[in-house]
Amino acid sequence: MRIYMRRYQVFDETINGELGEYVTFGIVIFEDINEKMTELLRVHDISTNRLAVEKLVEACNREQLSPCHIYDVIEDGLYG
């Protein structure tokens, strides 16, 4: 039986938009593929609140969330 190890991490980026320049936080998902951590997905511009994104990441890592559920978890975590 193959055990998948996923790692979720917070990343920050500076965005220049209609509201000017601001720092926002997203989530990057890594998975162990052939014994190498490989980036699967980046979800950009989730929130300007780093703590909120860190709490989501902690829950995702604890539960080893499948990446296919990340958008639902983000929506529920920030707005639920």
Side-chain angles (χ1 to χ4, degrees), residues 5-67:
M5 177 63 180
R6 293 185 189 99
R7 185 174 74 229
Y8 291 74
Q9 290 182 330
V10 175
F11 71 93
D12 64 278
E13 60 188 336
T14 302
I15 294 182
N16 280 309
E18 293 178 14
L19 302 175
E21 185 175 283
Y22 62 98
V23 176
T24 185
F25 301 93
I27 296 175
V28 61
I29 307 169
F30 295 94
E31 186 165 84
D32 181 350
I33 299 174
N34 297 322
E35 299 182 12
K36 179 182 177 199
M37 294 308 281
T38 302
E39 184 176 320
L40 293 180
L41 177 68
R42 277 183 186 258
V43 182
H44 296 266
D45 199 13
I46 295 171
S47 176
T48 58
N49 181 336
R50 182 180 184 95
L51 184 59
V53 179
E54 286 175 347
K55 286 182 179 182
L56 286 173
V57 163
E58 287 173 14
C60 292
N61 282 321
R62 182 177 56 251
E63 300 299 324
Q64 285 295 286
L65 179 76
S66 173

